[in-house]
Amino acid sequence: MRITIFGVGYVGLVTGTGISELGHDVLCVDTNVDKVKQLNEGALPIYESGLADLVKRNVRDGRLSFATSLDAPYDQSDMYFIAVGTPRSEDGTPDLRDVLAVARTLRDAVKQRATIVVKSTVPVGTCDHVQEIVGEHDVASNPEFLKEGAAVSDFFRPDRIVIGSESETVQRQLRELYAPLQLSGERVIVTDRRSSELIKYAANAMLAMRISFMNEMSQLCEVTGADIHAVRLGVGSDARIGKRFLYAGPGYGGSCFPKDVRALTALGRAHGVTMQLTEATDRANDEQVVFVAKLIEKAAGTLRGKRVCLWGLSYKPDTDDVREAPSLWLTKYLLSKGASVVGHDPEARDNFRRVMRASECDVQTEADQYVAAEGADVLVLLTEWRSYRAPNFTKLAKRMSAGATVVDTRNVLRVRDVKAAGLRFQGLGVRRQES
Ligand SMILES: NC(=O)c1ccc[n+]([C@@H]2O[C@H](COP(=O)([O-])OP(=O)(O)OC[C@H]3O[C@@H](n4cnc5c(N)ncnc54)[C@H](O)[C@@H]3O)[C@@H](O)[C@H]2O)c1
């Protein structure tokens, strides 16, 4: 098949590359000239494990190309995927301008009847709106569930593929496209467009809610002397609950959970339904990073004049994405209290510095995690990259100031090892820190 993808962000680039790897001819269109230039020069605008080799191979084999506009012969594609961003507006509703702009482009450029697939996360009713714009073309919803950091394997081994379309022709077309991903079993869920649109928000809100719930549990553990590891194990062993996604941390971030939770609240508001749980989830998330900030402050005594090192600037490991990462708010808070901040991250330093510069914040970053900790009074493990999980604590203690504290906001370090090196330890609701 001939496929066009709009947007070469985390979703569009992975989807376009994945589809080309399955053997189809794919053009990825993005209005960002720099990104397209980079891709055409063989560089990737994002970091995603395993993606660079796939892009290289499919470009070499002539199945994958990049452009800033819809060029022939791709104005006669079988399917057009919309994978552009839907960022949060001030009032919590997603900004659909890019999605609707692509719809208008397709209305004007595509002459023969085609299928338009909305992959971007959009509120219920958006596909109907796109349909009004594009007229005769078939519009389907096909939300994306990939996880940054594991996006390539998620593309090839999806938990499910949701197709929102009442047209049998479109269902058949999408089933055929995704057939190679289902050799080990049926993954497709076919439904109507509105349900498909809502599934994506419901899934993200449910996951965000689990995180916020466990974050509140960690606060309770901290003050009551209970241990969050034991609580997680005890709770997660219930088959109705399950073990995954029950880890406390500094609050969720990224380009999806914060915006999608708020979008669901806004969607409810627009339809007269009070979304109490998403509202509370959002509030609890905002408060979790404040809770972490207070733990850091307590560890430092006072933040004025102190040096704080942050390990992990991306919102989760294995990505360079810093959108809504806890590191951003936390850094601003620490600076406002008179601390100096130095950051380290295996992939996200450039993005972090760019965002910080835009907020006129003066933050230093280092390429080496131990150099970053030089002279630090507090080291905060914010994102659980693998290289932070079993560091050389003796080396670390030598670099850090006397009496320094390690604040582990992901509860991944062995407390015994931290303490054996002469460092103080603070976790999130972990009892073993006292031993
Ligand atoms: N990032 C994720 O983990 C993830 C996972 C699932 C779903 N989603 C959803 O997928 C969508 C895309 O997310 P993302 O993280 O890939 O976004 P992104 O910001 O990384 O990429 C969006 C891209 O769209 C391009 N774009 C904007 N207007 C355009 C236009 N008119 N024509 C062509 N390109 C245009 C931008 O230049 C940008 O490169 C969002 O709705 C998001 O909520 C994201």
Side-chain angles (χ1 to χ4, degrees):
M1 280 190 250
R2 192 180 287 153
I3 309 284
T4 299
I5 312 269
F6 284 85
V8 290
Y10 291 86
V11 169
L13 187 57
V14 172
T15 306
T17 308
I19 292 175
S20 70
E21 176 76 1
L22 298 178
H24 303 289
D25 292 322
V26 178
L27 172 72
C28 294
V29 177
D30 200 296
T31 43
N32 185 319
V33 179
D34 292 337
K35 283 190 180 182
V36 172
K37 185 166 176 277
Q38 251 182 301
L39 285 160
N40 281 330
E41 287 168 355
L44 250 57
I46 56 165
Y47 170 77
E48 186 60 52
S49 175
L51 186 59
D53 286 346
L54 281 185
V55 170
K56 209 158 125 194
R57 182 164 68 232
N58 286 287
V59 168
R60 183 199 63 199
D61 295 348
R63 286 190 300 267
L64 180 62
S65 53
F66 306 98
T68 52
S69 62
L70 185 56
D71 300 330
Y74 286 91
D75 52 358
Q76 292 179 35
S77 290
D78 301 287
M79 278 189 261
Y80 296 88
F81 282 79
I82 304 180
V84 297
T86 48
R88 177 156 58 86
S89 318
E90 277 298 300
D91 64 356
T93 59
D95 181 341
L96 298 174
R97 269 177 296 187
D98 292 345
V99 170
L100 302 180
V102 176
R104 285 190 290 272
T105 300
L106 292 170
R107 174 196 61 197
D108 298 340
V110 178
K111 300 301 171 214
Q112 89 291 6
R113 189 169 171 161
T115 299
I116 294 166
V117 184
V118 180
K119 210 162 227 327
S120 301
T121 304
V122 292
V124 178
T126 305
C127 283
D128 294 351
H129 192 171
V130 170
Q131 184 76 70
E132 282 165 23
I133 294 173
V134 302
E136 285 303 293
H137 300 302
D138 289 305
V139 177
S141 161
N142 173 219
E144 181 53 59
F145 297 98
L146 63 75
K147 301 181 287 297
E148 284 178 25
V152 172
S153 62
D154 283 347
F155 176 86
F156 291 107
R157 281 178 290 281
D159 287 338
R160 80 298 216 181
I161 296 164
V162 175
I163 297 173
S165 167
E166 276 149 32
S167 151
E168 281 182 19
T169 316
V170 172
Q171 290 171 13
R172 206 173 324 111
Q173 218 177 4
L174 280 164
R175 275 184 185 281
E176 192 186 322
L177 178 76
Y178 290 125
L181 309 180
Q182 303 196 74
L183 300 179
S184 61
E186 176 73 33
R187 304 279 161 91
V188 168
I189 297 166
V190 176
T191 181
D192 59 282
R193 292 197 301 220
R194 287 182 169 241
S195 305
S196 171
E197 289 169 327
L198 191 54
I199 285 169
K200 174 64 194 176
Y201 283 110
N204 272 0
M206 179 79 86
L207 291 169
M209 225 151 55
R210 275 171 84 103
I211 295 177
S212 278
F213 182 81
M214 289 311 284
N215 283 343
E216 285 194 339
M217 286 300 126
S218 76
Q219 293 195 25
L220 262 185
C221 285
E222 195 62 38
V223 292
T224 58
D227 180 65
I228 192 68
H229 292 296
V231 172
R232 173 171 49 78
L233 197 64
V235 169
S237 299
D238 186 324
R240 293 169 301 178
I241 297 172
K243 289 201 167 75
R244 297 179 66 187
F245 245 78
L246 288 181
Y247 291 87
Y252 57 75
S255 67
C256 293
F257 286 1
K259 116 176 136 55
D260 294 351
V261 166
R262 282 181 201 175
L264 205 47
T265 305
L267 188 71
R269 201 185 312 123
H271 292 274
V273 178
T274 308
M275 303 294 290
Q276 301 190 54
L277 295 180
T278 53
E279 278 175 20
T281 298
D282 190 28
R283 245 190 343 266
N285 195 54
D286 284 348
E287 282 165 20
Q288 184 69 5
V289 70
V290 176
F291 171 68
V292 165
K294 297 290 174 203
L295 288 181
I296 298 169
E297 206 159 2
K298 199 164 145 213
T302 169
L303 284 168
R304 186 148 300 282
K306 295 289 171 61
R307 192 169 173 83
V308 180
C309 169
L310 303 181
W311 272 6
L313 307 170
S314 55
Y315 78 96
K316 66 186 228 179
D318 303 317
T319 180
D320 60 349
D321 198 346
V322 300
R323 288 179 284 186
E324 308 229 16
S327 63
L328 303 177
W329 184 88
L330 195 58
T331 299
K332 287 181 196 161
Y333 178 83
L334 296 170
L335 292 174
S336 75
K337 292 285 178 179
S340 61
V341 178
V342 53
H344 175 270
D345 191 283
E347 294 292 340
R349 284 191 303 132
D350 290 349
N351 283 341
F352 177 74
R353 266 201 312 269
R354 186 176 37 75
V355 175
M356 280 295 140
R357 258 201 311 272
S359 312
E360 294 178 357
C361 287
D362 179 24
V363 196
Q364 181 189 341
T365 62
E366 293 289 345
D368 180 288
Q369 69 192 67
Y370 296 97
V371 173
E374 190 77 52
D377 301 289
V378 183
L379 167 72
V380 185
L381 195 161
L382 259 188
T383 313
E384 68 280 30
W385 285 89
R386 275 188 293 274
S387 66
Y388 302 149
R389 290 180 182 216
N392 182 333
F393 288 110
T394 312
K395 191 170 158 186
L396 198 58
K398 278 195 194 132
R399 297 248 182 195
M400 292 180 72
S401 70
T405 306
V406 173
V407 178
D408 178 5
T409 73
R410 301 288 181 171
N411 292 335
V412 291
L413 299 175
R414 274 164 45 115
V415 187
R416 216 177 324 131
D417 297 345
V418 180
K419 291 191 169 175
L423 293 162
R424 294 192 296 145
F425 178 83
Q426 172 68 54
L428 278 196
V430 284
R431 190 180 164 84
R432 60 183 186 186
Q433 67 197 41
E434 287 159 14
S435 63

